[in-house]
Amino acid sequence: MTFFPGRAEANQVRSARTGWRLLLRRNQSYLTAVGTLVVIALFGAAIVHLTAEVRYDDVVSALADTSWRSVATAIFFTGLSFLTLTFYDVGALDYIRRKLPYAHVALTAACAYAVGNTAGFGALSGGAIRYRSYSRLGLEPDDIARVVAFVTLAFGLGLVAVTCLSLLAVAEYVAPLTRLDAFWLRTIAALVLAGMLAIMVASRSVHEISIGRITLRLPDSRTTSRQFLITTLDLAASATVLYVLLPTGTIGWPAFLAIYCVAVGLGVLSHVPAGLGVFETVIVATLGHAADVDAILGALVLYRVIYHLLPLLIAIVVIIGIEVRQFAGHPAASSLRRAGGRMTPLLLATLALVLALMLVLSSVTPTPDEKLVLLSNYVSLPIVEGAHFLASLSGLALVIVARGLALRLDGAWWASLALALAALLLSLAKAVALGEAGMLAFFIVALLASRRLFVRRASLFGQALTPPWLTALGVICLGALVVLLFVYRNVEYSHELWWQFEISAEAPRGLRALLGVTIGASAVAIWSLMRPAATAIAPASNEDVQRAIAILETQDMSDANLVRMGDKSIMFSPDGRAFIMYSRWGRSWVALFDPVGPQEAWPELIWQFIETARSNGCRAVFYQVSPRGLAYYADAGLRAFRLGELAEVDLRQFEMKGGKWATLRHQVSRGQRDGLEFSVVEPTDVPAILPELAAISDAWLAHHNAREKGFSLGAFDPQYLETQPVAVLKCEGRIVAFANILLTDMREEGSVDLMRFSPEAPNGSMDFLFAQLMEYLKARGYRRFNLGMAPLSGMSSHSTAPVWDRAGRTFYEHGERFYNFKGLRAFKSKFHPHWQPRYLAASGGLNPVLALMDATFLIGGGIKGVIKK
């Protein structure tokens, strides 16, 4: 019997809502991809409708009629726009108080915008370029995230401000597009500007504002004014690129600037890569009444080539030029070469996507009559038909290998080279397309010049495409369909078209090419979505553990002694000089710490681990990694998320004298008065005291209502404890506390793992134990003592900090009921350590959250272990 039907129904509704939210969150990337394709399909239909009276030949004629003076002027303003764009990054670095040489910043920013403007896909975004480059130049991930956030926010706010200012002057031109009266457009623009001005004025006296638990740091008026000026110059220059390509007298420049800003803004909000289709629809819809639509379409095509494709080609030329050795003799050039080498794969991957789009679109557009006549004299019809069809499929294949280029796979390099050579020959055989052949030749030269960067051995077919790349396939297919409908709108469809094979039958060739690309793209998408199931991984054998121990003894990483537990799997580098210890939980392969071994062996081992995890249908995760490895993870396409800070004590300067050590001296003196005695038991003598240590460990676990942990923490295992010395505290002849010491033969670093004490131990026993242990290690020539990580410590609460940092900081401040975050840091702070950041390296999206959950379950031994401490 139900006594509270209303409450039961409410619970059911709440559960249903939670289920829907969980479903949406879990499939967010796929839903975003579907939404993007729906948006581009709608705008594609709008383009076809708006150009109902336009013919393809008229667009080609309009392109041919564009004067070289207009093209040269457009190129000049493109250069001016990209020069202005570099100052976004300069302003961002100045805002976070970091200085880098302008040459490095300009190269990074220009390449980031060349990729971001042209592709816009996740793996090829401008943020990925900045992360790879700036991590090589010494910026930490949270600094890079703040740069990206600042640049994005500065452009967005500047775009809004310039649009509103333009609307005040020319609202009547934009009113028909929005279906709002010009008066209301001006009113809205004025209100928005007033709000932005109020914030700017407030920032002069109030530097921070709090909204709930979120604190925003307001930029000063100098920063705000500078960024507004930069955005204004950028938008003015980029708008002028398109304006000079339009027919003379189409519209006044101020009115066009407003329309351009609206088009760019809608393109950004649509999340469609490069605003493709959205931008064009807005421009055609607003200017179609003032000029011939065919001329506007011709100008838009040229604009895409000049403002999007040309900077990409120039960026590749510059990067390849830096790669040439004779330019790398100067230290500055050598530094640019190192940074540029990290951007080249992304630039080439973006160019591969552009070439793929070019090959597919050319397969659905007609060949000029004079070239068809030339082909009919020298090439048979089957060759023309076959070349046309295969060229479109080579474009599809280039999309697939582009992701491998971004990941620096050697197989992707060879496949790209073979596809580009084949496509070059096919473009000549199908239509004597000299422009296509020239672009493909440029791509081939760039590939050959950058061969040394593609050294990762991995199966190209083992790389399942992610949702952004599947979106790219969908965008190309939809774009080809829209172009096909536009070009052949005067051809009446019939089933017989599919079987027409004539040298002049261009529409049937386009239909067959589009069908081939669509079927191929669908097959690739289905294959990518049918991910392989996660397979179990075997723990390391005794031989593997002993081999790993031999490596760690030659390193200065004391925490790597956790490999002695034997509860983790081990992967060795190809040269056998380094290893990674890891475990699996859920769909995560979680590696503990950086690779152990010489740093020159890290890149290949990191990539080997990532590739093996992916081939098993899992995500690769690196837990508690140091700043020195961040560039390697960035090169592998991973992002770093701060976990906390590691406390290290410099034993060479450790001396309990002076005022700052007064509290610790007091604890040591108190321990001595309480009769505490410190000693270190060597590994050979540990078995004799194991019964006492086991009793203390059991009492400690019972007192704290806890259970043994794992993965990044050792458990009470006799075989594990017998491998290293153990520090013990005795009181009245009985052991009351102990900690096993982690050491290597290098005598560089010492640390502890298990730290347990009896409930009867005097207060302050652990302070006494640590102080005495550090004195002991210092006397034996060790340089530093590793106190371990303080979780969530050092997370940024800055307004431009990533959501990850702000969420972590909030949990650190208000999550004491779940974990003693502040207490742990306070304990470590007694020893006045140097704090070093530690990170979680994983791919973007929801992966870092899921990876952190999996790592937490690994450490806690499952959900029950986490709940039960």
Side-chain angles (χ1 to χ4, degrees):
M1 182 179 294
T2 302
F3 293 96
F4 302 101
R7 184 177 300 176
E9 291 174 1
N11 289 337
Q12 291 178 357
V13 171
R14 190 179 299 110
S15 299
R17 289 177 179 175
T18 303
W20 276 108
R21 290 173 182 173
L22 183 62
L23 181 65
L24 292 174
R25 189 179 300 115
R26 185 176 299 169
N27 298 283
Q28 180 180 2
S29 58
Y30 295 102
L31 292 175
T32 301
V34 172
T36 299
L37 295 179
V38 169
V39 169
I40 199 170
L42 292 174
F43 278 95
I47 281 285
V48 173
H49 175 72
L50 290 170
T51 58
E53 303 300 324
V54 180
R55 296 294 174 262
Y56 175 76
D57 292 339
D58 297 331
V59 176
V60 174
S61 299
L63 276 171
D65 292 341
T66 304
S67 67
W68 283 105
R69 181 178 179 182
S70 297
V71 172
T73 305
I75 293 174
F76 170 78
F77 279 102
T78 297
L80 182 61
S81 174
F82 271 78
L83 176 64
T84 307
L85 287 172
T86 65
F87 289 97
Y88 279 109
D89 285 54
V90 173
L93 291 168
D94 181 63
Y95 182 67
I96 66 172
R97 299 181 177 88
R98 295 297 301 267
K99 293 292 184 183
L100 290 175
Y102 176 74
H104 296 79
V105 176
L107 178 65
T108 301
C111 291
Y113 285 111
V115 170
N117 290 347
T118 305
F121 306 121
L124 300 177
S125 65
I129 287 280
R130 289 185 175 90
Y131 189 75
R132 294 194 182 194
S133 177
Y134 287 144
S135 62
R136 280 280 169 180
L137 298 174
L139 261 63
E140 295 185 0
D142 51 346
D143 287 334
I144 300 172
R146 291 169 65 190
V147 168
V148 174
F150 181 93
V151 167
T152 304
L153 190 61
F155 175 77
L157 293 177
L159 178 63
V160 171
V162 174
T163 304
C164 291
L165 286 172
S166 302
L167 285 175
L168 292 177
V170 291
E172 58 273 3
Y173 288 95
V174 185
L177 175 66
T178 60
R179 297 186 179 180
L180 287 175
D181 187 76
F183 170 78
W184 289 111
L185 281 180
R186 287 192 172 96
T187 301
I188 294 172
L191 290 174
V192 172
L193 287 172
M196 297 179 70
L197 183 61
I199 294 176
M200 184 175 176
V201 172
S203 66
R204 301 179 62 181
S205 55
V206 180
H207 299 293
E208 290 184 350
I209 59 174
S210 296
I211 305 175
R213 295 179 177 178
I214 300 176
T215 300
L216 300 176
R217 176 189 162 199
L218 298 176
D220 54 55
S221 56
R222 174 176 171 270
T223 301
T224 304
S225 302
R226 180 178 60 189
Q227 290 307 127
F228 175 73
L229 178 61
I230 290 172
T231 306
T232 303
L233 291 174
D234 167 38
L235 290 171
S238 59
T240 306
V241 175
L242 177 56
Y243 183 76
V244 298
L245 297 173
L246 292 170
T248 305
T250 300
I251 191 175
W253 187 85
F256 177 76
L257 177 62
I259 294 171
Y260 179 86
C261 291
V262 171
V264 170
L266 290 176
V268 172
L269 292 175
S270 70
H271 294 291
V272 173
L276 190 64
V278 180
F279 178 84
E280 284 79 3
T281 301
V282 175
I283 296 298
V284 171
T286 52
L287 301 184
H289 67 281
D292 293 335
V293 175
D294 52 358
I296 296 174
L297 289 176
L300 285 169
V301 171
L302 271 179
Y303 168 78
R304 289 289 187 180
V305 171
I306 294 173
Y307 193 76
H308 290 260
L309 179 57
L310 184 61
L312 177 65
L313 298 179
I314 294 175
I316 293 175
V317 170
V318 172
I319 292 294
I320 296 301
I322 294 173
E323 282 288 308
V324 179
R325 292 185 179 276
Q326 59 261 35
F327 294 109
H330 191 276
S334 180
S335 177
L336 284 172
R337 180 169 175 257
R338 288 194 301 271
R342 297 297 169 266
M343 296 184 284
T344 303
L346 286 176
L347 290 168
L348 290 178
T350 306
L351 180 58
L353 282 174
V354 173
L355 293 177
L357 181 63
M358 176 190 73
L359 289 169
V360 173
L361 293 184
S362 69
S363 68
V364 295
T365 53
T367 304
D369 293 338
E370 62 274 12
K371 292 184 177 180
L372 284 178
V373 173
L374 179 64
L375 284 172
S376 63
N377 293 331
Y378 297 96
V379 182
S380 63
L381 178 61
I383 293 179
V384 174
E385 293 283 355
H388 200 92
F389 188 78
L390 292 176
S392 64
L393 293 183
S394 66
L396 175 65
L398 270 179
V399 179
I400 299 170
V401 301
R403 183 169 185 266
L405 286 178
L407 296 174
R408 299 172 58 194
L409 304 187
D410 61 338
W413 186 90
W414 284 106
S416 298
L417 184 63
L419 285 170
L421 287 169
L424 190 154
L425 296 176
L426 292 171
S427 65
L428 295 175
K430 70 170 185 175
V432 196
L434 299 180
E436 288 182 28
M439 288 283 293
L440 290 164
F442 175 85
F443 182 57
I444 292 169
V445 172
L447 284 173
L448 294 173
S450 57
R451 174 67 184 96
R452 70 176 188 85
L453 298 174
F454 300 89
V455 294
R456 290 174 177 163
R457 300 186 180 278
S459 171
L460 182 62
F461 298 102
Q463 302 295 314
L465 295 182
T466 55
W469 289 89
L470 295 177
T471 304
L473 287 176
V475 168
I476 289 175
C477 291
L478 285 175
L481 175 61
V482 170
V483 171
L484 183 74
L485 293 176
F486 169 74
V487 172
Y488 297 111
R489 61 177 26 155
N490 59 334
V491 177
E492 186 176 351
Y493 174 80
S494 66
H495 295 307
E496 288 74 19
L497 286 175
W498 296 99
W499 312 109
Q500 288 184 12
F501 296 93
E502 300 175 12
I503 196 69
S504 60
E506 303 244 57
R509 272 199 291 272
L511 279 174
R512 289 189 289 268
L514 178 60
L515 178 64
V517 169
T518 303
I519 292 176
S522 301
V524 170
I526 293 172
W527 170 74
S528 294
L529 294 173
M530 300 295 288
R531 304 293 293 274
T535 58
I537 54 177
S541 64
N542 290 333
E543 292 77 11
D544 287 341
V545 172
Q546 294 304 315
R547 184 181 170 191
I549 291 173
I551 294 174
L552 77 87
E553 290 291 0
T554 65
Q555 303 301 310
D556 59 1
M557 188 177 177
S558 59
D559 281 343
N561 279 285
L562 285 169
V563 75
R564 298 176 185 270
M565 278 291 297
D567 61 337
K568 290 173 277 291
S569 300
I570 300 174
M571 180 181 292
F572 294 94
S573 61
D575 58 11
R577 296 189 300 153
F579 71 89
I580 284 175
M581 48 182 161
Y582 66 99
S583 294
R584 182 182 69 83
W585 189 277
R587 300 191 71 87
S588 297
W589 278 29
V590 186
L592 182 59
F593 310 132
D594 292 309
V596 181
Q599 197 160 344
E600 58 267 21
W602 288 17
E604 187 66 23
L605 181 55
I606 289 172
W607 174 248
Q608 178 184 336
F609 178 77
I610 294 173
E611 167 64 14
T612 307
R614 285 175 177 164
S615 65
N616 283 277
C618 294
R619 69 179 67 87
V621 183
F622 291 83
Y623 182 76
Q624 282 197 41
V625 298
S626 64
R628 64 175 178 162
L630 294 181
Y632 303 124
Y633 304 117
D635 289 344
L638 303 185
R639 292 184 58 191
F641 303 85
R642 187 186 285 262
L643 284 174
E645 292 181 306
L646 186 80
E648 287 185 349
V649 177
D650 187 347
L651 295 178
R652 294 169 296 181
Q653 299 178 3
F654 178 71
E655 201 168 357
M656 288 189 293
K657 296 179 180 179
K660 72 176 184 178
W661 295 101
T663 302
L664 190 59
R665 284 200 309 271
H666 174 73
Q667 292 287 1
V668 172
S669 298
R670 179 180 176 182
Q672 292 171 343
R673 291 195 303 271
D674 290 337
L676 290 177
E677 299 176 2
F678 170 84
S679 63
V680 174
V681 180
E682 295 300 324
T684 54
D685 299 324
V686 169
I689 62 171
L690 278 176
E692 291 183 82
L693 302 185
I696 293 173
S697 177
D698 292 341
W700 185 86
L701 291 171
H703 179 73
H704 290 84
N705 191 28
R707 56 185 291 177
E708 293 285 8
K709 305 301 182 184
F711 190 59
S712 65
L713 300 171
F716 190 92
D717 183 339
Q719 292 183 346
Y720 172 58
L721 289 175
E722 292 172 6
T723 61
Q724 294 270 272
V726 175
V728 298
L729 285 184
K730 291 184 178 181
C731 185
E732 298 179 356
R734 294 185 305 107
I735 298 177
V736 295
F738 74 92
N740 66 321
I741 312 173
L742 306 181
L743 305 171
T744 69
D745 291 345
M746 301 300 292
R747 292 183 177 268
E748 180 70 24
E749 179 185 80
S751 185
V752 296
D753 181 23
L754 292 174
M755 298 169 286
R756 296 184 177 176
F757 54 89
S758 170
E760 292 80 22
N763 291 333
S765 294
M766 297 311 293
D767 293 351
F768 182 86
L769 175 63
F770 272 81
Q772 295 297 313
L773 179 56
M774 283 189 272
E775 292 279 10
Y776 171 84
L777 293 176
K778 178 182 179 180
R780 280 154 181 77
Y782 286 84
R783 297 189 174 189
R784 64 179 187 271
F785 184 73
N786 180 351
L787 282 165
M789 188 179 72
L792 303 185
S793 172
M795 302 288 249
S796 175
S797 59
H798 196 279
S799 59
T800 57
V803 175
W804 174 279
D805 279 47
R806 283 182 280 160
R809 183 69 182 183
T810 301
F811 202 73
Y812 177 82
E813 295 290 343
H814 306 283
E816 290 296 305
R817 59 179 294 187
F818 302 104
Y819 189 85
N820 189 21
F821 296 107
K822 293 182 179 179
L824 183 60
R825 182 179 173 96
F827 172 78
K828 298 177 188 294
S829 296
K830 296 178 182 179
F831 303 95
H832 305 286
H834 301 289
W835 295 98
Q836 304 290 333
R838 287 296 180 267
Y839 300 94
L840 175 86
S843 51
L846 283 177
N847 283 315
V849 177
L850 299 175
L852 184 58
M853 291 175 58
D854 289 341
T856 303
F857 292 144
L858 268 176
I859 297 168
I863 299 176
K864 291 183 179 179
V866 173
I867 296 175
K868 199 180 176 182
K869 300 183 180 179

